[in-house]
Amino acid sequence: MKSILFYLPSTGSHMQITRGMAGTNPANYQNMLRQLTHQVRAADEMGYWGASFTEHHFHIEGFEVSNNPILLGLYLGQQTKNIRIGQMANVLPLHNPIRLAEDLSMLDHMMRGRTFVGIARGFQRRWADVMGQVYGVGGTLSDRSESDRRNRRLFEEHWEIIKKAWTNETFTHEGEQWTIPPKDLEFPYDAVRRFGRGQDDAGRIVEVGIAPRPYQNPHPPVFQPFSFSEDTFRFCARENVVPIVMHTDPVRVGELLDVYVEEAEAAGRGRLARGESVGVMRDVLVSRNKEEAHHWARHGGGFIFDNWFGPMGFTEALRNTGETGPIGSDYDTLVERGLEWVGTPDDINRKIERLVEHHTPEYLLQCQYSGPIPHDVQMRSLELWATEIAPNWL
């Protein structure tokens, strides 16, 4: 499996976050940058496949202070040599797709092809509804409401535009939201005809193109976290996108992987192996001392899930097939359901054995809670994974 670190990232320790407004403290942000720098440099030296960062806004609480994962990735990419740097993910419906295609192409060049791209639909309504006003869209929890359907349509249209921009010298687009270029766009300058393209004989722009196009051909690898539904898996299979499964129920995970294989074959990608081009996400913390690992994981992912993700509906990722009723979001439930890969190297190796017995995902997305989990604990965890776990599963 290819290991990708996934940082939210948090600013402030567990104590600083519980005091309130940790995300607004400049010293906390500087500490986060220093810790990420050391951790990602170490991961680079240890052979991790990638590191990634989320996109969320308005996080004054300090949980996910990562409003620009492209910029944060460039900051860390310039300080590393081999590790791939990407996003998990850019929220497509809330971006100008041409600007996003350009920014990602620039990042790909600046990283000399060491980048990968994440795309998502967006679920946190506090920022999505505020920043999506210009497109008439907001956050969604895939409830098949009109707002949810509008979000999906815009997500797919923006993805279509980005693909066209990346893979064509010039292109056009007609969709629900965008007409590219607008009708009767006059730009009667001879330099376009002499040195470029996309202009008709009357001096009107009939096609546009971005520069630069991506460094990688045809474009960087694309991922979509966090995928629950068959609709998302079918979309990813058709589009050659890697879905990241957050679900913990082995039966449901198997069903989704089978859907991906079926749809990829129908789309002409051939017969993939089960788990090929698919990733699984788990919270990971490794220690020589199991009790210490669980202590810090309870204060890291356990604390954040119980106070943030659980109330937003992510407990559905813990639901077993056929199960009804509410599911807890406390740390003990996360451990029991299998979201937490926490313990000694032997503990984690046994968890991987159970996963690959049935699924064999190509990627493992390791959620990291820097800030609430002390830096030295995180650094030891990275080393134990690289030296005593990863060599068994390459």
Side-chain angles (χ1 to χ4, degrees):
M1 286 184 296
K2 299 168 183 172
S3 295
I4 305 176
L5 299 174
F6 174 54
Y7 287 94
L8 295 174
S10 303
T11 56
S13 65
H14 179 271
M15 179 180 294
Q16 289 166 330
I17 291 175
T18 58
R19 287 175 177 170
M21 300 295 284
T24 65
N25 186 327
N28 287 348
Y29 194 82
Q30 286 295 312
N31 285 333
M32 180 269 286
L33 290 178
R34 280 192 289 271
Q35 291 178 14
L36 284 186
T37 296
H38 286 293
Q39 290 175 30
V40 176
R41 280 178 175 171
D44 183 28
E45 295 175 358
M46 294 175 193
Y48 280 76
W49 189 88
S52 59
F53 310 95
T54 189
E55 180 197 358
H56 288 301
H57 304 266
F58 306 153
H59 269 259
I60 55 177
E61 299 85 5
F63 289 131
E64 299 177 278
V65 186
S66 182
N67 49 294
N68 191 327
I70 297 174
L71 195 58
L72 185 57
L74 178 62
Y75 172 77
L76 292 161
Q78 296 296 312
Q79 303 180 69
T80 52
K81 296 179 180 178
N82 299 302
I83 194 169
R84 296 163 180 83
I85 304 289
Q87 317 88 43
M88 293 286 181
N90 304 288
V91 179
L92 249 56
L94 309 181
H95 281 277
N96 180 311
I98 297 176
R99 289 294 300 271
L100 185 58
E102 291 175 333
D103 289 350
L104 291 167
S105 292
M106 290 174 64
L107 178 66
D108 198 28
H109 278 270
M110 293 173 182
M111 295 280 293
R112 296 284 185 92
R114 283 197 294 124
T115 192
F116 56 93
V117 170
I119 59 176
R121 295 177 60 204
F123 72 95
Q124 291 190 19
R125 292 193 59 187
R126 175 175 61 176
W127 75 263
D129 286 32
V130 172
M131 299 180 71
Q133 293 177 78
V134 65
Y135 301 124
V137 71
T140 180
L141 291 174
S142 299
D143 58 5
R144 300 190 182 277
S145 63
E146 175 51 37
S147 175
D148 173 58
R149 291 193 294 271
R150 164 72 174 162
N151 179 291
R152 183 175 288 280
R153 293 196 305 272
L154 198 58
F155 169 84
E156 293 185 358
E157 183 174 358
H158 282 194
W159 170 239
E160 186 68 24
I161 292 169
I162 290 170
K163 280 196 307 177
K164 288 180 177 180
W166 278 346
T167 59
N168 297 277
E169 288 185 338
T170 58
F171 69 97
T172 64
H173 178 82
E174 290 276 352
E176 178 181 350
Q177 180 71 37
W178 294 90
T179 298
I180 303 171
K183 301 296 184 185
D184 299 321
L185 173 58
E186 294 186 0
F187 198 74
Y189 302 103
D190 191 51
V192 176
R193 182 178 297 106
R194 293 174 62 198
F195 309 122
R197 56 183 288 186
Q199 183 188 62
D200 68 12
D201 291 339
R204 291 184 296 262
I205 297 300
V206 294
E207 290 186 328
V208 295
I210 67 165
R213 288 166 62 195
Y215 182 87
Q216 297 176 75
N217 184 26
H219 54 71
V222 181
F223 294 74
Q224 184 172 352
F226 294 102
S227 304
F228 286 45
S229 71
E230 288 191 12
D231 287 345
T232 297
F233 266 72
R234 293 189 184 279
F235 167 83
C236 289
R238 291 192 302 271
E239 297 295 324
N240 197 15
V241 170
V242 178
I244 302 293
V245 188
M246 188 178 176
H247 219 293
T248 59
D249 176 36
V251 174
R252 186 57 180 154
V253 173
E255 291 172 347
L256 292 172
L257 266 58
D258 288 342
V259 163
Y260 191 87
V261 170
E262 167 195 307
E263 193 73 16
E265 186 172 27
R269 294 178 58 194
R271 186 72 179 179
L272 302 180
R274 199 181 203 222
E276 184 179 354
S277 294
V278 175
V280 169
M281 176 268 189
R282 294 292 183 263
D283 292 351
V284 174
L285 189 67
V286 193
S287 174
R288 294 281 184 215
N289 185 302
K290 180 186 297 187
E291 288 71 27
E292 178 191 67
H294 281 290
H295 169 80
W296 289 118
R298 187 181 297 273
H299 285 76
F303 167 69
I304 292 176
F305 194 99
D306 198 26
N307 287 278
W308 193 249
F309 297 119
M312 293 182 185
F314 275 77
T315 51
E316 287 303 308
L318 311 175
R319 188 176 299 281
N320 293 324
T321 301
E323 185 176 22
T324 60
I327 300 172
S329 61
D330 59 283
Y331 180 71
D332 291 336
T333 299
L334 303 184
V335 172
E336 186 269 327
R337 296 292 170 122
L339 185 65
E340 301 296 309
W341 281 13
V342 175
T344 66
D346 184 60
D347 293 331
I348 307 306
N349 276 310
R350 292 178 185 276
K351 292 179 186 296
I352 299 176
E353 284 178 2
R354 290 193 289 272
L355 177 69
V356 302
E357 182 180 357
H358 301 291
H359 303 313
T360 319
E362 184 173 350
Y363 300 91
L364 177 68
L365 190 67
Q366 302 184 26
C367 199
Q368 305 291 295
Y369 293 94
S370 60
I373 296 178
H375 177 58
D376 63 319
V377 175
Q378 292 274 102
M379 291 290 283
R380 288 199 301 272
S381 177
L382 293 174
E383 183 175 6
L384 287 171
W385 178 278
T387 57
E388 300 190 25
I389 299 173
N392 300 322
W393 306 104
L394 293 176

